[in-house]
């Protein structure tokens, strides 16, 4: 079961990215600044529950990635380097030299890529339930859901039924939130805010992340790896291997599926806040 957390409304900002406008959700708070990158098919507002639990102890910026949410949907440009360029554009627009960079799933891969490309702009890195390569079962599930998801739903009831069938176990509050931020109304029904063609291109490019294994020892900032103990996307063995390869890394495992930010937002927020502020001792369950 996932936690119940009250959602707060962030400020909607628009940033000029390399391919067009990027929508960024700004949750006010004290330093340090943290940039949160969501997973494939998601949106920046997936972090609402974590932001509420953070309670202003960090300032959070959560963009809709290109091809997702209200951000630009270019016809091409979905390699990790394109998302890295978007992160750089957001930091420049916000006049941020360095941030705590947090990424879940696809966003975790892009956060890792950005850290390797621009280490001077990352103070700390949090990678949530993703490794340099996808676990086979998780990769197959992402590909299957992307290929088979309906383009349209007749109404909210049909969309809710689909989400509960394909992603069981959340609270009613979380399902209502996902309906609000993953879909939008059209004259023909409810359509996804994420572009199907973009998702396909992102999945095609994900295979190239395997080269990051050999580059993990280059990461010179502290890293927090967060794993959902019930997830099929990051195994315990892979997470342990990551922590062993990175010079300054620790592992936190939470009783969650892949979407840790929805299953355990309060526990995740506490781990990220403690890590961002370098509080001691380490969060419960930490290894490394």
């Amino acid at each position: 079961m996932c936690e119940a957390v009250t959602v707060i409304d962030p400020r909607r900002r628009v940033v000029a990215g390399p391919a067009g406008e990027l929508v960024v959700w700004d949750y006010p708070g004290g330093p340090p600044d943290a940039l949160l990158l969501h997973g494939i098919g998601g949106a920046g507002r997936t972090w609402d529950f974590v932001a509420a639990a953070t309670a202003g102890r960090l300032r959070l910026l959560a963009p809709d990635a290109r091809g997702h949410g209200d951000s630009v949907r270019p016809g091409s440009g979905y390699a990790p380097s394109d998302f890295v360029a978007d992160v750089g554009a957001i930091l420049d627009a916000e006049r941020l030299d360095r941030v705590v960079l947090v990424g879940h799933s696809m966003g975790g891969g892009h956060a890792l890529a950005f850290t390797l490309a621009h280490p001077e702009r990352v103070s700390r890195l949090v990678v949530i339930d993703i490794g340099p390569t996808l676990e086979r079962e998780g990769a197959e599930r992402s590909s299957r859901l992307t290929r088979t998801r309906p383009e349209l739903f007749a109404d909210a009831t049909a969309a809710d039924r689909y989400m509960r069938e394909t992603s069981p176990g959340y609270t009613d509050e979380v399902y209502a939130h996902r309906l609000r931020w993953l879909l939008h109304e059209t004259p023909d029904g409810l359509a996804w805010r994420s572009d199907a063609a973009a998702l396909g291109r992102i999945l095609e490019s994900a295979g190239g992340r395997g080269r990051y294994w050999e580059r993990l020892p280059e990461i010179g900032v502290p890293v927090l790896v967060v794993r959902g103990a019930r997830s099929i996307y990051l195994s315990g063995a892979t997470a342990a291997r990551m922590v062993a390869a990175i010079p300054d890394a620790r592992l936190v495992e939470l009783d969650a599926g892949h979407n840790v930010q929805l299953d355990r937002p309060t526990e995740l927020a506490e781990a990220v806040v403690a890590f961002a502020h370098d509080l001691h001792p380490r969060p419960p369950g930490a290894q490394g």
Side-chain angles (χ1 to χ4, degrees), residues 109-259:
H110 296 155
L112 179 60
F114 184 86
T115 302
L116 289 168
H118 303 284
E120 75 285 354
R121 306 205 70 173
V122 179
S123 60
R124 288 174 175 259
L125 173 64
V126 181
V127 180
I128 303 171
D129 214 61
I130 197 70
T133 51
L134 285 173
E135 307 289 352
R136 180 183 59 80
E137 191 175 356
E140 289 175 352
R141 181 178 187 276
S142 291
S143 178
R144 181 178 66 257
L145 290 179
T146 299
R147 292 194 319 269
T148 62
R149 75 177 192 180
E151 292 184 13
L152 289 168
F153 298 96
D155 52 34
T157 299
D160 181 72
R161 184 184 307 115
Y162 173 83
M163 289 189 177
R164 290 174 187 268
E165 290 174 351
T166 55
S167 299
Y170 299 123
T171 63
D172 290 342
E173 181 185 22
V174 169
Y175 286 117
H177 187 271
R178 286 167 71 81
L179 283 174
R180 169 67 180 86
W181 294 108
L182 299 186
L183 300 165
H184 66 101
E185 292 186 7
T186 74
D188 300 316
L190 291 174
W192 297 99
R193 289 177 182 265
S194 54
D195 182 72
L199 304 190
R201 293 187 179 96
I202 291 167
L203 289 173
E204 289 173 2
S205 68
R209 288 210 310 265
R211 66 184 183 279
Y212 293 152
W213 273 117
E214 62 190 43
R215 298 197 61 192
L216 292 182
E218 299 175 25
I219 299 177
V221 301
V223 177
L224 177 66
V225 178
V226 180
R227 174 177 177 264
R230 295 182 276 107
S231 174
I232 61 173
Y233 286 80
L234 178 63
S235 69
T238 299
R241 183 181 169 196
M242 290 173 66
V243 170
I246 298 168
D248 183 359
R250 65 194 71 172
L251 171 64
V252 169
E253 294 186 305
L254 300 177
D255 181 19
H258 181 51
N259 287 317

